[in-house]
Amino acid sequence: MDRLDNTVRPYAWGSTTAIPQLLGVEPTGEPQAEMWMGAHPGAPSRTDRGTLVDVIAAAPEKELGAVAVAKFGPRLPFLLKILAAGAPLSLQVHPDLEQAKEGYEEEERRGVPVDAPHRNYKDANHKPELICALTEFDGLCGFRDPRQTADLLDGLGVDSLKPYVDLLRAHPEDAALREVLTAVLTADPEEMARTVAEATAACSRLGGAYAPYADVAHHYPGDPGVIAAMLLNHVRLQPGEALYLGAGIPHAYLDGLGVEIMANSDNVLRCGLTPKHIDVPELLRIVRFEPSDPGVLRPEASPDGEEVYETPIDEFRLSRYVLPEGGTPHDLTRATPQILLCTAGSVRTGEHELRPGQSVFVSAGEKAEVSGPGTLFRATVVA
């Protein structure tokens, strides 16, 4: 069992206080957005045996188990994070596995450098993800019913939004959503900036259901993504609640601290709220233009105390244990690789005492007993 030393990524949207507070350390004054736990080559966790990438590469079947290697290849198929949003992230979607393979092969064929700012596909993998709130957590997820969005936009009283209102009241719904998003992202930049400014003023004045979008606009003045964001459901998670984000679902995290797990991929297509490249034709190919409920997940409890967040994919499986003081130790030994993360209290696992924000990697088949008092997240695969 390897204690992990993890990298914190200082993205501009990160909170300056949430991760330091979790870790019990003084803030640096700089944003601390994500702490990565896993074997992603961009920031692999470090162990006494080397980076987790090196540890797994030296003996894939020993570390991951034969079944996981046969199913996913000789690499850890998930990346676990603590995510701390102090400002909205970019509005984005992720491709499905077939789209990722096609897009990656096409850009490779055209010789687009993998680190080019206009490159869409950094790898050939999909990127489903799950975010579980540790604090109250705000986000945008999936298209709202177009008629409800039409009413929301109409209530702003902005004349330049009237064509979008009319489109959203038309049928079929998927065509209406596609037309509006296309129009927003391809509009004249100066005209759209004026529309966004008027909409922002109205959102700030009206508050209520408009308040989240006023905050988005505060961080991204004049950005077309502000109007695109208003097409989406706003959701507020309570601690312990989660969102699963599959392929093609537009989303953005706005504020809060959470545990995030995803397939080990970097593939992101952006829709707005960013200075980065937006490939509108490719984006429109990937987005699923269908209204949907955000689908807040609550964990399913098993008799042994494991609370599982059920998802439809196999690359990751996230669960939680709330361990009482003096309780019987739980045997978490499993034939697949695991990362165990403490988020509250104190958790004993093997020879390691984990405090909030600390984690260990457990090789496939390695003995893993845990006891509290504390909260422990368990990341593994379905194999």
Side-chain angles (χ1 to χ4, degrees):
M1 191 179 298
D2 298 279
R3 184 183 286 272
L4 298 179
D5 179 17
N6 304 305
T7 297
V8 176
R9 310 304 294 263
Y11 305 134
W13 49 262
S15 167
T16 58
T17 59
I19 288 179
Q21 184 174 357
L22 179 73
L23 298 176
V25 300
E26 287 297 317
T28 64
E30 299 297 319
Q32 298 187 39
E34 296 179 347
M35 186 169 74
W36 288 19
M37 291 157 280
H40 192 286
S45 298
R46 298 170 294 278
T47 77
D48 289 342
R49 297 188 285 159
T51 71
L52 200 50
V53 170
D54 296 335
V55 168
I56 291 170
E61 287 204 4
K62 176 180 179 294
E63 302 298 338
L64 305 177
V67 175
V69 170
K71 190 168 186 177
F72 304 110
R75 66 188 188 95
L76 191 66
F78 63 83
L79 177 63
L80 184 66
K81 300 178 180 180
I82 292 174
L83 182 146
L89 282 67
S90 62
L91 194 60
Q92 58 190 258
V93 296
H94 307 302
D96 64 26
L97 191 55
E98 182 178 351
Q99 292 165 338
K101 289 178 178 177
E102 290 175 356
Y104 180 77
E105 290 170 1
E106 171 62 16
E107 290 186 317
E108 287 289 282
R109 186 187 63 77
R110 292 192 284 116
V112 181
V114 73
D115 58 351
H118 62 286
R119 173 110 184 195
N120 293 316
Y121 298 94
K122 305 298 176 66
D123 53 67
N125 200 14
H126 62 165
K127 195 187 177 211
E129 60 190 44
L130 177 79
I131 183 78
C132 177
L134 293 178
T135 65
E136 201 169 70
F137 193 99
D138 281 71
L140 304 173
C141 179
F143 288 111
R144 188 192 293 105
D145 182 303
R147 291 163 298 181
Q148 294 177 4
T149 300
D151 293 342
L152 192 76
L153 294 180
D154 200 23
L156 293 172
V158 176
D159 288 343
S160 53
L161 291 176
K162 298 296 185 185
Y164 303 151
V165 171
D166 293 339
L167 283 171
L168 289 166
R169 287 176 174 155
H171 292 282
E173 292 180 335
D174 58 345
L177 290 168
R178 178 182 289 272
E179 285 191 55
V180 171
L181 185 62
T182 302
V184 168
L185 297 180
T186 58
D188 177 81
E190 291 187 5
E191 291 181 7
M192 179 52 65
R194 287 193 290 271
T195 296
V196 172
E198 287 186 55
T200 299
C203 285
S204 299
R205 182 178 69 255
L206 293 168
Y210 295 97
Y213 306 102
D215 186 62
V216 167
H218 168 74
H219 290 282
Y220 296 97
D223 193 307
V226 173
I227 306 301
M230 296 189 73
L231 302 176
L232 307 186
N233 297 294
H234 171 250
V235 60
R236 175 166 291 168
L237 301 177
Q238 298 304 312
E241 295 181 335
L243 287 176
Y244 171 72
L245 299 158
I249 303 300
H251 61 278
Y253 302 145
L254 303 181
D255 183 73
L257 181 71
V259 173
E260 185 183 35
I261 190 168
M262 63 191 64
N264 204 348
S265 171
D266 268 344
N267 288 325
V268 176
L269 287 104
R270 295 174 176 84
C271 319
L273 310 182
T274 178
K276 295 182 179 179
H277 175 64
I278 297 177
D279 184 335
V280 175
E282 186 64 11
L283 173 71
L284 297 176
R285 187 176 80 90
I286 299 303
V287 171
R288 292 184 180 178
F289 289 98
E290 52 192 38
S292 62
D293 183 273
V296 174
L297 293 177
R298 295 172 182 86
E300 297 288 334
S302 62
D304 69 351
E306 185 179 25
E307 301 175 338
V308 181
Y309 293 90
E310 298 288 354
T311 64
I313 54 94
D314 293 344
E315 280 88 344
F316 61 75
R317 176 183 183 274
L318 186 71
S319 61
R320 182 181 69 168
Y321 288 85
V322 180
L323 303 166
E325 185 170 8
T328 303
H330 291 260
D331 186 355
L332 272 55
T333 306
R334 191 177 171 95
T336 53
Q338 305 180 74
I339 291 178
L340 306 179
L341 165 68
C342 175
T343 58
S346 174
V347 175
R348 165 66 64 176
T349 174
E351 63 182 20
H352 302 287
E353 188 82 21
L354 301 182
R355 299 292 181 179
Q358 296 180 339
S359 56
V360 293
F361 174 73
V362 184
S363 303
E366 185 177 2
K367 184 71 172 177
E369 279 195 346
V370 300
S371 58
T375 301
L376 185 78
F377 280 84
R378 178 196 209 185
T380 184
V381 301
V382 179

